[in-house]
Amino acid sequence: MSMTRERINIPVEKLKWMYETMVKSRYYEDVMVEAYNEGKKPVFNIGAGPVPGEMHLSTGQEPAAVGICAHLTKDDTVTSPHRPHHHAIAKGVDLNRMTAEIFGKVTGLGKGKGGHMHLFDPEVKFSCGGIIAAGIPHAVGAALAAKKKGKDWVAVAFVGEGAANAGGFHESLNLAALWKLPLIVVVEDNAYGISVPKSGSTAVASNDLRAAAYGIEGAYVRNNDPIEMYLASEEAVRRARNGEGPTIIEIETHRYLGHFQGDPEMYRDKEEVPNLRKIDPITKIRDLMLSEGIATEEETAQIEVRAKKDVDDAYHFARESEYPAPEDALKDVFSS
Amino acid sequence: MSMTRERINIPVEKLKWMYETMVKSRYYEDVMVEAYNEGKKPVFNIGAGPVPGEMHLSTGQEPAAVGICAHLTKDDTVTSPHRPHHHAIAKGVDLNRMTAEIFGKVTGLGKGKGGHMHLFDPEVKFSCGGIIAAGIPHAVGAALAAKKKGKDWVAVAFVGEGAANAGGFHESLNLAALWKLPLIVVVEDNAYGISVPKSGSTAVASNDLRAAAYGIEGAYVRNNDPIEMYLASEEAVRRARNGEGPTIIEIETHRYLGHFQGDPEMYRDKEEVPNLRKIDPITKIRDLMLSEGIATEEETAQIEVRAKKDVDDAYHFARESEYPAPEDALKDVFSS
Amino acid sequence: METIEKRMLTGNKAMAEAIALEMERDPTVFVLGEDVGKYGGIFGSTQGLFDQFGADRVMDTPISETAFIGAAIGAAAEGMRPITELMFVDFFGVCMDQIYNHMAKIPYMSGGNVKLPMVLMTAVGGGYNDAAQHSQTLYATFAHLPGMKVVAPSTPYDLKGMMISAIRDDNPVVFMFHKTLQGLGWMDQLDASISHVPKEDYTVPLDKANVVREGKDVTIVGLQMTMHYALEAAEKLAEEGIEAEVIDLRSIAPIDKETIIKSVKRTHRLIVVDEDYLSCGISAEVSAIIAEEALYELEAPVKRIAVPDVPLPYSRPLEQFVLPNANKIYDEAMKLINEW
Amino acid sequence: METIEKRMLTGNKAMAEAIALEMERDPTVFVLGEDVGKYGGIFGSTQGLFDQFGADRVMDTPISETAFIGAAIGAAAEGMRPITELMFVDFFGVCMDQIYNHMAKIPYMSGGNVKLPMVLMTAVGGGYNDAAQHSQTLYATFAHLPGMKVVAPSTPYDLKGMMISAIRDDNPVVFMFHKTLQGLGWMDQLDASISHVPKEDYTVPLDKANVVREGKDVTIVGLQMTMHYALEAAEKLAEEGIEAEVIDLRSIAPIDKETIIKSVKRTHRLIVVDEDYLSCGISAEVSAIIAEEALYELEAPVKRIAVPDVPLPYSRPLEQFVLPNANKIYDEAMKLINEW
Ligand SMILES: Cc1ncc(C[n+]2csc(CCOP(=O)(O)OP(=O)(O)O)c2C)c(N)n1
Ligand SMILES: Cc1ncc(C[n+]2csc(CCOP(=O)(O)OP(=O)(O)O)c2C)c(N)n1
Ligand SMILES: [Mg+2]
Ligand SMILES: [Mg+2]
C-alpha cells in the first residue's frame, strides 16, 4: 500500500468514498453472515433459515470493487459473478432492495425470484449471475450499446481468476478488442477457484499477460491495494471512454472466508487467513488517511457510522418486508 | 519458399513424401469435386447426386497437413475440423474406406453414418468433426492419455484461423499448457472463416501471439510454405515428445475454392484465387526438387502416377461399394 | 373478375424483408451473427440487409457464439433490440448457457425489471445429407426450457409476420427457420417455400397454431416440413375418402393447446409428426396434453412419428429411413382409422 | 433369528466407493473435474479418492468444461475410461456441444468403430433455494438427445450399483445424482439418503425401472426426489385404502417402457411426477408412451406433476410452490380415483 502523501495522487473525496464503501461492504457481509447462520445452528443446513441457498462472500476483496467503481457513474455498466456484494455496493445498487432480495422478499430487486447470485438493478446498470464468466459477454453487449448510442459509457465485467480459463473470457475479449469496445475486465485473483489454487488452473502467472492475445492493455495490481487499483482503473476507464478499447486488470486480492458459507476449507492452511487479515486493506487505508492527515479520527468515525446505518436500515427493511405470494412464482416469465 | 539447397535441410525422403502426399490430396479433391457435382447440374442442389451434403475442400492448403504429418506415426493422434481431406490423407487414413464414407457406402469408415465431416479411422488415430474448435479438446484428451500411458505420442489438432476465436481454443490450450501435454495446435490461416476475413474476426495479427496467454511457444509460417511448416513442426513435435508442453503453429495458407462447394464467394475479389494459384506450393516444391537435383522429371512423374492411382483405386472402391440397408440407421447408437 | 397481384417471395426473402422493415422503423434494431453481412446469412436470412443498412447495423462476428449471443443479451438489457443468428441450431451446445440460463431467465430472475427484447434466429432441419451435426431441428431442446418464446414458421407469409412479431415482442424469441423452406436456389426446390407475401408490415401472433386444412377423421399436427408432409398425406387420404385435419403448430413455446384439443374433439384421432427426436419431443408433449386434457375424446391411440432416437445419419438411404415423410403419415393414418 | 449386519452408507459415499472399486480394478479408470481432488467433489461424489489414488488419477481441472469434458472424450477414444464431473447439471450450456454432438454421436458417426467408455456425472435438483441457475434437474434435456445412456438413481444402493455399471459400460453414460439424496452433512437430512450398501462390487442395470411399491389402484412414476415423494404419498393413500404402485424410473435413456406399461395394465391409472420442467419433459414422454401403447388400459386421464415451465425461483414460498411434493401427489391421486 502506498505509504507517502505524494503517492496518494488521488482526490481526497475519492479516497474517502472508497473507505466508506469498503467499510459498508465489509459490515454488510458481517451482518449477512449472521443472518445466513440463523436457523443453521447447531446443524448446518444450506436450505434452512431466513437466508437459504449458497452464499458467496467477498470479505477481503473490497479493493477490487471500489478502486474501479470510483470512476464510474450510473450510466456505466457493471456485471458481476456469483460473489457480487462488494461490486453491487460500490456500484450504488439500492441496498434496501438488494437486501430484501437476498431475504427472498417481494420488495427485493427481483421480487424474491433472483436471490443473492441474481441481483439486477437496471437503475444503476448492475447485474450478476451464477455461471462462471457468463457476465463478460453481457458487459460486451452493454459496451456495444454505448458505442451504438454514441455515449462514452463504459462496461466493467468482474470475474474471478478461475473464470479467466473459461471460453467465454476469450471470446468476449477478442470480440471487444476487435470492435474496440469500452470494456474493462477486472480479474479478482483471490488465489482460489473454490478449492483449486491459481497454479492448478492457470497456465500463466497472471491474467494481464493474456492481454497480448487480444492486442490490448493489461495491468496487474499487487497487494490488494485499493489505491493502485484506483490508478490502474483510471487509466483503463480513460482509454475506454476515449474509444481506445478494452483492458484487462487483474488484482491480487484475498478471500477471507470460505468459497461459500459452509465450505470446510480443507484445502488451505489454517494460518493463511489470519495472516491475510493482518494486512487488511480497510485498516490500511484508514491508517493512511489518519497518518497523512487526510481525515481525522472523528471523520473516519462519522464515515463508519454512516456506512453502518445504511446497512442496518437495509437489513431492517428486508426483514420487515413480506414474502411474495407463492403463486407469484408463475408471474414474470414473460412480460406483456 | 526456400529456394537454395542449403535451406532445404530436411531429409530427401520426407520432401518426396510431402510432394507425393500433396499431389495425392490435390488430385483427390479434383476427383471429389467432379463426383460432388454429379447430379447437381444444371441446377445445383446440395442434397442431390452421389455425394450430397456440404463439401469443404482443402485445395491449396496441403502444406499445413504434410509439413507436420511428416513427423507423425500412426500412434500420434490427429483431430481435424470440417475441412479434413488433406489431414486425413497426410495422416494415412484408409483412402478406400474414407472415400466410401464420403459416398455414403456401407464399406465406409463409419458405414455411411458419418460422411465427409465425420471421418474416424482409429487405426491411425484420426478423427474430424463439423463443429468449430471442438476437435481441440479431443486432441488434449489423446495427449493426456499418452502421458498417462507413459508414451511419447503427440496429438495434433488442426483448426482454421476462425476457430481460434472460439472458447474451446482457449480452454484447451490453457489445460494442455497447465498439464504440459504433448499437444500441437495447427491454425490454418486461409484468410477467411466462410466469408469473414481474418481482420474481421481476430483481434491480433496472428494466432501464434496467443501462445503468450498460455506461457507456451508459438510459431508463424509464412507463404504457405511446406518446408517452413516442416521445420516449425519438427521443433514443436520434438518439444511435445520431450514433455515440454504444447505449441501453437499458425500457417498462412490459401483456400482456392469456396468455403463449401456452392459458395457464391461474393465476398472476395475475383482476382484473388488466380493470383494465389500462381504461387502454388505443389508446383513450387516440384520445381525446387527438380532445380536442386533432388528428383528427376521421371521420379516426379512416377510419384504423381502412384499418388493418382491410390486415389483412382479409392474412387472405384467407393463407387462399387453398396449402400447400407436403410434400417441399419437404427444400429450403432450403442455398442453392447 | 378481380385480379389480385400476387407478390411471390421465398422464405428467406420474407424473413429478410421483415427485418428490413423493422430496422427502418426502429433504429435500435440491429443484426449480429456469423456471415450475416456481405454473405447475407448462410441460409439467406439477412439477404440484402448489409447493402441497405451497412456494417454498423448488420454485423459479422467471429466464431464466438457465447460472446456475441451474450453481447446481444447485454445490448438488449440496455434497450437495444438485437437480432442474432445461431447459424445452425446444431451449434447450440457451444452457447446454450447464454441462451437458456441468461436470455431466458434474466427477465424472470429480475422480477420483470429487466426486459430482453431480442430475437435469436437459427436454421433447423435435415433431409439433404448434412449428417449428425448439421441436420437437427432440436425443437424440444428449446421448448423444454422456460423463459423463451419459441416459434417455427412454415410458410413465407408466417416467416415474415412472425419475424415482425418477434422483433416487436419485449421477450426473447427463438425463431427457428427451416433450411428447406427458405426457398434457396441451392437446395431442394419446394413449392411451399415460395408464396404470396404482402409488401407492407403485418404481424402473425407468436402463440397460435394454425388449422391449415379442415377435416373430420383424424388430426395431424406437424410443424415446418412435417406440416407440409401432413398436407401431402392429407391429399392422398382424401382420395380414400378420409378427411384429415392438419394443424401447423408454428409456436412451440407457448404451445397452443386449445387449437389442438378443439381439433381432437372433432376428429377423435391424433397423429403428431415431428422432425425432431422422438423421446421427450414435441410429439410427446402434444400427446401428453391430449392424454391429460382430452383423453376421452380419443378413439384410437395417439401416434407419434419422429426421428427414432438416433443421430441423423449421413447416407441418403439411412437418413430417409429415419426422417418423417408423407408416406409414413399416410400409412399411420390408414392404420389408425382401419385398425381402431 | 439371523442378524444381518447392515452397512449404512450415504449416497455420496456409495458413489465414491463404486468409483474406488473400479479404479482399483482397472488402471484405465480416472476422474477429472472441478474440485474433485482434495475437496472430494462439491457434492461428495469423489470423497476420499484423492487420498487413495493421488493427483494423477483424481484430477482437479480449471473451470473449462468444454476442454476437460472434451478431453475425457479424447482419452476415452484412446482406450481410457474417464469419469468426469459437471459440477451442477445447470452448467451444461457451456459444454453441451462436447456432450451431445461428440460424446453422444461419435460412436454412431464412426459406425461403431470408436467406442467412448466414459461417465459424465453431474449433480441435479433443487429445493434448497439455490435459485434458477443451480436447482434444475434437466432430465429431459439429456434424455431427448440420442447416443447417451442417462440414469438418475434414487438410493445409495442404486448409486453404487449403477455407477459400477456405468463405468464398465462401453458407451457414454450420463450419471445424474440428486444433491439431496447424497446424504451430505450440510443439506437436508433425509432418511432415504442413507441405506444399506454391500461392501463388494455389484451392478445394477442401466435400463430397468424398479417397482418400489406394489399396488393396484394407481401407478405413480417418479425418479429421485419425486420417487421418494411418491412413496410418501403412497403411505398416506394407503391410509385411505388406496394402493398406489410406485415406480422408480431410474433410467431415463433408454426408458423402461415395459415396466411402466405392465403396471398401468394392472392399475389403469397413471401419475407421472417429475422435478424437471413440464413441457417436453420425462413426464410427457411417459404419458405419450402410454397414450400410444396402452391407451385402452386407462380409466382416467394421465396426470403430470412437474415444474410448471418457470425458472426455479429463489424465495422459499415460491420455490416450494413450483416443486412437486408428496401432498401434491396425494391430492392428484385422490382426484384421479374419485373423479374418474
Ligand atoms: C460454468 C460454471 N462452472 C462451474 C461453476 C461452479 N463454480 C462456482 S464459483 C466457482 C469458482 C470460481 O472461481 P473464481 O472465478 O476464481 O471466483 P471466486 O469464487 O474465487 O470469486 C466454480 C467452479 C459455475 N458456477 N459455472
Ligand atoms: C460452433 C460452430 N459455429 C459455426 C460453425 C459454422 N462454420 C463452419 S466452418 C466455419 C468457418 C470456419 O472458419 P475457419 O476456422 O477459418 O476454417 P476454414 O473454413 O477457413 O477452413 C463456420 C463459421 C460451426 N460449424 N461450428
Ligand atoms: Mg478465485
Ligand atoms: Mg479460415
Side-chain angles (χ1 to χ4, degrees), chain C residues 273-287:
Chain C
V273 201
D274 188 3
E275 198 184 319
D276 195 5
Y277 303 115
L278 181 73
S279 285
C280 302
I282 293 290
S283 65
E285 179 60 26
V286 172
S287 179

Side-chain angles (χ1 to χ4, degrees), chain B residues 77 109 138 148-149 329 335, chain D residues 56 67 78 98 108 111 113 171:
Chain B
T77 294
L109 290 168
H138 305 162
K148 284 189 178 297
K149 292 175 184 172
S335 75
Chain D
D56 277 354
E78 306 264 338
Q98 288 297 333
Y108 185 81
N113 286 320
N171 299 288

